[in-house]
C-alpha cells in the first residue's frame, strides 16, 4: 500500500461505519436474530499492537453506474491477452512448447497415466515429513549418547517454535565411559546398574512420540463485528487479498480491513443495490464486486476508482473467480461469463450448463481448469477459457458451494455438499474419477487447502441431528480425513472463509455478524519441494 494512501487513513476522522439492510431471498436460508454490535470493531489484535479503527472519508454513494471511465494504466497490472482485441488474428496451427517454462513429464503425462494405481513415494509430502522427523530423532539421540548433551532430549520433545538455543558441541576435561551391567547381577540388586545401555536422555528420546503434536489454538485470536453480514448460503462476501487486505461486503457497502494497520475503510456504497460477492485479483490492488442486480464491477482500491462495469447477468452474482486477467462470474440466472479486464467487451465466453444458481467457482493454479458448483447439486469441470465441458459430477445430493483445488497434488479437487449431503468428496479432475467421500455430519459451507501442509479447512452449518456439533471450523488431514483440530466460537452457520496470503491465518464469517481469525498453520512445518516435483493425482 502506498505512503499516500496510508497518510489518508491516518488523517481520516473517526466516523461510524454506515451500512444498509439487505434481505435474503434464498429459499435455503434462515434469518437468525441480529445481535447488537458496533461497526466492524476489533475485540482483539493479531500482532499485540492494538489500533484504533479509523475509516477513511466517506465516498459518495453510487446511484448511476453510467459509462465505464477510461483507465489507461490497466496494462501495468495484467499480462497481455488476445481476448477482446480487434483485427488481430493468430496464424498457424502448430504448438511449440517452451522448454524453459514447461516440464514435459509433468505437463504431458509422459510417465504413469492418471488412471494407474502406482504412486511415487518420494513425491509424497508425508514421506518427506516422516524423513525429517526420523532425522531429528537420530540427531538428538547421538548428541545425547555420544556428546553427552543432556539438553537434546528436552529440545527434541519440545513442540516446534519454542526451542531454546543450544550448544552444538559439548566439551569436558575427562571422558566418562559407561560400563555394561554385569550379567551375574540382577538390575534390582544394585542401584549402580541400569537396565539399558543408554542414558536417561537417550531413553527419553527413544520413548518420545514419533511426531510431536502441533499446537493449534482453539480460540479466535481476533474478532471483528460485521453488522449486516448476510446469512445467505449462496453468497461469497469475504476475501483476503495478496496485499494483506480483507474485503467484506456488508449490506450495500464494501469495507476494507488492513491486516497490518487494523484500519477500516469504506470503498463504495451502492445504496439501492446489495453486495453479493467480492474477490481480489491475484496481482495488484484490484477488487471485483458482484451485486444483487447482476452487475459486476472492478475497483482500484488504492485510488478508490471504478475501472470497469460489466452487465449481462439478469440476477444476483454470487460467485467470482480470477485467472490472471480473466474474471469469471456465476449468477442466479444459471450462467457463467468469462470477462477479459483488458477488453471493452462485456464478456467473451458464456457457459450455460447449470440449471440452477451458480454458487461456487474456483480456478486451478495453472489456470487450465475451472470448477463450478450450483444449486442443481452438480459439480462441473471446464476446459480452460473455452466452453468445453470436461466432466460432470452428480454424486452430491445438495448444493455445491465449497470447492478447493489442491496446491500439492496436480488435478486433485475437493468439494462439499449442503444440508442434504454433508459430505466432502475428492475427485481426480484429470481422469474424471471419484477418489473418496467422507461424511462430516453437518452442512459444508467452504473448503480451503493449506498452502503449507497437506491439510484442508472446512466450515460447517446445520448438523444432521442434535448430537452432532454445528457451526464449526474443522482442520482435516487430506490423505485420510482425520480431524486435526475443531474450532468453535460462531453461534451461526460459518458461511464465509478465506486464507491469508502467507497461509497461516484463516478468517471466517457467519450469520452471527462476526468475523473471527484463527491461527491454524503458523506452527505447521512447511512442505519443501521444487515446482517440477508437483505430482499428479494418480488415484
Amino acid at each position: 500500500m502506498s505512503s499516500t494512501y496510508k497518510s489518508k487513513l491516518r488523517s481520516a476522522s473517526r466516523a461510524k461505519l454506515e451500512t444498509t439492510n439487505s434481505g435474503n431471498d434464498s429459499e435455503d436460508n434462515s434469518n437468525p436474530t441480529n445481535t447488537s454490535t458496533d461497526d466492524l470493531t476489533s475485540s482483539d489484535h493479531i500482532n499485540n499492537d492494538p489500533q484504533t479503527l479509523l475509516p477513511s472519508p466517506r465516498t459518495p454513494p453510487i446511484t448511476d453506474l453510467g459509462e465505464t471511465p477510461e483507465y489507461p494504466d490497466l496494462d501495468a497490472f495484467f499480462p497481455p491477452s488476445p481476448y477482446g482485441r480487434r483485427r488481430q488474428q493468430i496464424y498457424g496451427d502448430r504448438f511449440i512448447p517452451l522448454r524453459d517454462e514447461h516440464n514435459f513429464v509433468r505437463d504431458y503425462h509422459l510417465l504413469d497415466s492418471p488412471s494407474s494405481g502406482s504412486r511415487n513415494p518420494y513425491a509424497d509430502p508425508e514421506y518427506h515429513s516422516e524423513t525429517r522427523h526420523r532425522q531429528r530423532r537420530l540427531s538428538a539421540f547421538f548428541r545425547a549418547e555420544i556428546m553427552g548433551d543432556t539438553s537434546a532430549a528436552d529440545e527434541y520433545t519440545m513442540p516446534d517454535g519454542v526451542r531454546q538455543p543450544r550448544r552444538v558441541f559439548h566439551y569436558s576435561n575427562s571422558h566418562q565411559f559407561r560400563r555394561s551391567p554385569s550379567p551375574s547381577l540382577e538390575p534390582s540388586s544394585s542401584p549402580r546398574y541400569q537396565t539399558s545401555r543408554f542414558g536417561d536422555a537417550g531413553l527419553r528420546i527413544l520413548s518420545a512420540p514419533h511426531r510431536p503434536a502441533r499446537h493449534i489454538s482453539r480460540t479466535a485470536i481476533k474478532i471483528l463485528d460485521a453488522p449486516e453480514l448476510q446469512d445467505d448460503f449462496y453468497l461469497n462476501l469475504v476475501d483476503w487479498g495478496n496485499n494483506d487486505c480483507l474485503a467484506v461486503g456488508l449490506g450495500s457497502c464494501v469495507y476494507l480491513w488492513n491486516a497490518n494497520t487494523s484500519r477500516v475503510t469504506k470503498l463504495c456504497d451502492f445504496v439501492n443495490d446489495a453486495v453479493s460477492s467480492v474477490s481480489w485479483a491475484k496481482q495488484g490492488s484490484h477488487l471485483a464486486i458482484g451485486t444483487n442486480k447482476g452487475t459486476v464491477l472492478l475497483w482500484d482500491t488504492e485510488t478508490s476508482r471504478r475501472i470497469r462495469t460489466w452487465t449481462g447477468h439478469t440476477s444476483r452474482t454470487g460467485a467470482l473467480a480470477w485467472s490472471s486477467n480473466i474474471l469469471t462470474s456465476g449468477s442466479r440466472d444459471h450462467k457463467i461469463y468469462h470477462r477479459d479486464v483488458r477488453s471493452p467487451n462485456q464478456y467473451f465466453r458464456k457457459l450455460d450448463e447449470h440449471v440452477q444458481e451458480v454458487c461456487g467457482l474456483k480456478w486451478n493454479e495453472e489456470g487450465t481448469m475451472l470448477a463450478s458448483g450450483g444449486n442443481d447439486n452438480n459439480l462441473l469441470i471446464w476446459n480452460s477459457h473455452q466452453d468445453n465441458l470436461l466432466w460432470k459430477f452428480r454424486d452430491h445430493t445438495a448444493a455445491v458451494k465449497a470447492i478447493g483445488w489442491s496446491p500439492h497434488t496436480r488435478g486433485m479437487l475437493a468439494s462439499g455438499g449442503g444440508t442434504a449431503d454433508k459430505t466432502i468428496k475428492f475427485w481426480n479432475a484429470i481422469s474424471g474419477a471419484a477418489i473418496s467421500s467422507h461424511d462430516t455430519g453437518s452442512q459444508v459451507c467452504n473448503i480451503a487447502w493449506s498452502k503449507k501442509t497437506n491439510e484442508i479447512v472446512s466450515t460447517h452449518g446445520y448438523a444432521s441431528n442434535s448430537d452432532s456439533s454445528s457451526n464449526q471450523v474443522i482442520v482435516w488431514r487430506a490423505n485420510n480425513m482425520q480431524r486435526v483440530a475443531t474450532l468453535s466460537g460462531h453461534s451461526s452457520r460459518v458461511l464465509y472463509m478465506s486464507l491469508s496470503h502467507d497461509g497461516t491465518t484463516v478468517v471466517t464469517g457467519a450469520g452471527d455478524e462476526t468475523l473471527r481469525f484463527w491461527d491454524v498453520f503458523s506452527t505447521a512445518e512447511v512442505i519443501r519441494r521444487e515446482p517440477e516435483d508437483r505430482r499428479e493425482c494418480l488415484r
Side-chain angles (χ1 to χ4, degrees):
M1 182 176 295
S2 63
S3 59
T4 305
Y5 187 62
K6 289 184 178 179
S7 63
K8 291 182 180 180
L9 294 180
R10 297 191 186 99
S11 62
S13 61
R14 301 172 180 267
K16 188 174 182 180
L17 306 180
E18 300 178 357
T19 57
T20 58
N21 297 328
S22 60
N24 295 329
D25 56 354
S26 176
E27 65 277 1
D28 191 32
N29 296 285
S30 61
N31 296 322
T33 304
N34 293 334
T35 58
S36 59
T37 56
D38 295 333
D39 303 319
L40 203 62
T41 54
S42 170
S43 60
D44 199 354
H45 50 84
I46 294 179
N47 55 2
N48 297 325
D49 185 15
Q51 300 281 346
T52 303
L53 303 179
L54 298 178
S56 63
R58 180 184 303 175
T59 57
I62 302 174
T63 56
D64 184 12
L65 297 179
E67 297 182 356
T68 301
E70 295 184 358
Y71 195 75
D73 298 334
L74 196 62
D75 295 347
F77 297 97
F78 297 99
S81 172
Y83 300 110
R85 294 189 175 182
R86 302 171 183 174
R87 296 187 302 273
Q88 181 178 4
Q89 299 180 3
I90 300 177
Y91 298 95
D93 57 354
R94 297 183 60 196
F95 170 69
I96 304 176
L98 299 179
R99 301 193 179 193
D100 296 336
E101 298 180 0
H102 295 275
N103 183 285
F104 291 95
V105 176
R106 179 194 64 196
D107 296 341
Y108 301 101
H109 324 307
L110 298 183
L111 294 179
D112 298 331
S113 61
S115 59
S116 63
S118 61
R119 297 182 60 185
N120 183 8
Y122 299 101
D124 191 351
E126 294 295 332
Y127 173 85
H128 294 286
S129 180
E130 295 290 338
T131 303
R132 286 191 294 270
H133 285 288
R134 190 180 300 108
Q135 292 174 351
R136 281 188 54 206
R137 181 191 292 266
L138 291 177
S139 176
F141 177 77
F142 286 129
R143 282 170 45 209
E145 291 299 316
I146 298 178
M147 298 182 182
D149 187 2
T150 57
S151 62
D154 296 332
E155 185 175 323
Y156 175 77
T157 55
M158 280 184 181
D160 295 338
V162 295
R163 300 176 187 169
Q164 300 296 328
R166 63 178 178 84
R167 295 174 57 186
V168 179
F169 297 102
H170 178 77
Y171 300 96
S172 60
N173 295 329
S174 61
H175 294 281
Q176 300 293 334
F177 295 93
R178 187 178 293 109
R179 292 187 177 183
S180 303
S182 175
S184 61
L185 296 177
E186 294 295 332
S188 60
S189 63
S190 175
R192 294 177 300 173
Y193 298 100
Q194 52 187 353
T195 59
S196 174
R197 296 178 181 269
F198 306 130
D200 295 337
L203 292 176
R204 288 178 56 191
I205 295 174
L206 294 178
S207 60
H210 182 63
R211 178 181 300 180
R214 186 172 90 243
H215 174 70
I216 299 178
S217 177
R218 265 57 175 180
T219 59
I221 61 175
K222 189 180 189 68
I223 302 176
L224 296 178
D225 292 333
E228 301 302 328
L229 184 63
Q230 299 187 54
D231 186 15
D232 196 322
F233 176 81
Y234 301 98
L235 305 185
N236 295 274
L237 298 176
V238 175
D239 193 30
W240 202 330
N242 293 343
N243 55 356
D244 220 6
C245 189
L246 185 70
V248 185
L250 302 179
S252 61
C253 303
V254 175
Y255 291 91
L256 305 178
W257 178 81
N258 192 306
N260 298 319
T261 62
S262 295
R263 300 292 179 86
V264 177
T265 57
K266 183 166 69 171
L267 179 65
C268 56
D269 186 353
F270 299 106
V271 181
N272 298 323
D273 198 359
V275 179
S276 56
S277 58
V278 293
S279 180
W280 287 98
K282 300 303 180 183
Q283 61 276 342
S285 58
H286 297 86
L287 178 68
I289 304 173
T291 67
N292 198 48
K293 295 182 179 179
T295 306
V296 180
L297 305 100
L298 183 64
W299 283 75
D300 187 346
T301 58
E302 292 207 359
T303 60
S304 298
R305 293 179 57 186
R306 177 170 54 92
I307 304 173
R308 290 282 188 268
T309 301
W310 294 292
T311 58
H313 290 299
T314 58
S315 187
R316 66 180 180 186
T317 306
L320 297 171
W322 284 89
S323 175
S324 186
N325 54 297
I326 304 301
L327 175 62
T328 304
S329 60
S331 173
R332 198 174 186 177
D333 60 7
H334 318 162
K335 295 179 177 57
I336 299 174
Y337 289 142
H338 290 317
R339 312 173 189 271
D340 190 341
V341 298
R342 299 169 60 91
S343 170
N345 299 332
Q346 291 297 323
Y347 61 89
F348 67 87
R349 196 82 68 217
K350 179 175 70 172
L351 311 180
D352 192 2
E353 187 68 25
H354 286 280
V355 295
Q356 291 194 36
E357 180 174 7
V358 179
C359 52
L361 283 176
K362 283 294 175 62
W363 282 98
N364 65 345
E365 289 192 346
E366 297 82 1
T368 57
M369 287 186 289
L370 171 69
S372 63
N375 198 31
D376 52 6
N377 310 341
N378 292 332
L379 175 64
L380 308 183
I381 309 297
W382 302 88
N383 180 23
S384 187
H385 306 109
Q386 307 301 320
D387 55 355
N388 300 329
L389 181 62
L390 295 179
W391 310 107
K392 189 173 186 178
F393 302 124
R394 305 181 181 181
D395 294 357
H396 283 290
T397 59
V400 183
K401 175 192 176 184
I403 302 174
W405 291 91
S406 172
H408 314 295
T409 305
R410 185 178 177 85
M412 177 175 284
L413 176 68
S415 62
T419 307
D421 186 86
K422 305 181 182 66
T423 64
I424 294 179
K425 301 181 186 297
F426 292 88
W427 313 89
N428 185 339
I430 298 177
S431 64
I435 298 176
S436 60
S437 177
H438 306 272
D439 187 6
T440 64
S442 56
Q443 178 189 36
V444 184
C445 303
N446 296 277
I447 289 178
W449 287 77
S450 170
K451 300 179 181 179
K452 306 174 66 176
T453 63
N454 192 28
E455 296 172 342
I456 62 173
V457 184
S458 61
T459 65
H460 298 266
Y462 300 130
S464 56
N465 51 61
S466 58
D467 297 333
S468 301
S469 299
S470 58
N471 311 328
Q472 292 180 336
V473 182
I474 304 178
V475 184
W476 311 82
R477 288 191 178 91
N479 56 348
N480 53 17
M481 285 301 288
Q482 291 183 355
R483 290 199 185 195
V484 178
T486 301
L487 314 178
S488 302
H490 285 291
S491 59
S492 182
R493 297 184 299 172
V494 189
L495 299 175
Y496 313 109
M497 178 178 65
S498 186
L499 192 65
S500 63
H501 176 56
D502 59 3
T504 60
T505 308
V506 176
V507 59
T508 57
D512 56 9
E513 298 183 344
T514 63
L515 297 175
R516 296 176 183 266
F517 295 78
W518 312 89
D519 184 11
V520 179
F521 300 110
S522 63
T523 58
E525 188 175 358
V526 181
I527 299 176
R528 296 180 178 89
R529 71 166 64 84
E530 297 298 327
E532 57 267 20
D533 292 337
R534 280 169 49 90
R535 61 190 177 92
E536 294 180 358
C537 177
L538 301 178
R539 289 178 289 176

